Amino acid sequence: MDRKLHLLETFFAQDDQGTPYKICGYEHMVALPLVSNGAEPQWEPTGIAEYRLVTGEHVDMEPDGSYRVAANSLHLHRA
């Protein structure tokens, strides 16, 4: 089954020193089975979302609404 990411939002967050980081929020999408009429595939949301820095590193949302960069445990707050 084909999958893709759909950009939902972008926003800035900052670390404790005030350095800004751009975060992108994505939703996972899957292609519905094609009808044999040659139409373009239709994409359906899966309900799974993820966050990444604009540079590609995975970002986890914490229970308190802050963010943590998975690769280096950098703690960010939405600006």
Side-chain angles (χ1 to χ4, degrees), residues 4-38:
K4 71 176 183 177
L5 293 176
H6 173 72
L7 180 64
L8 292 175
E9 64 175 332
T10 60
F11 58 91
F12 284 93
Q14 54 188 304
D15 62 15
D16 293 335
Q17 288 74 41
T19 305
Y21 295 84
K22 188 174 183 180
I23 296 178
C24 300
Y26 297 94
E27 182 172 32
H28 289 243
M29 307 284 282
V30 293
L32 297 176
L34 289 177
V35 181
S36 61
N37 64 4

Side-chain angles (χ1 to χ4, degrees), residues 43-59:
W43 294 92
E44 184 75 22
T46 64
I48 300 171
E50 70 176 70
Y51 294 96
R52 295 182 186 182
L53 291 178
V54 73
T55 53
E57 292 97 330
H58 181 77
V59 177

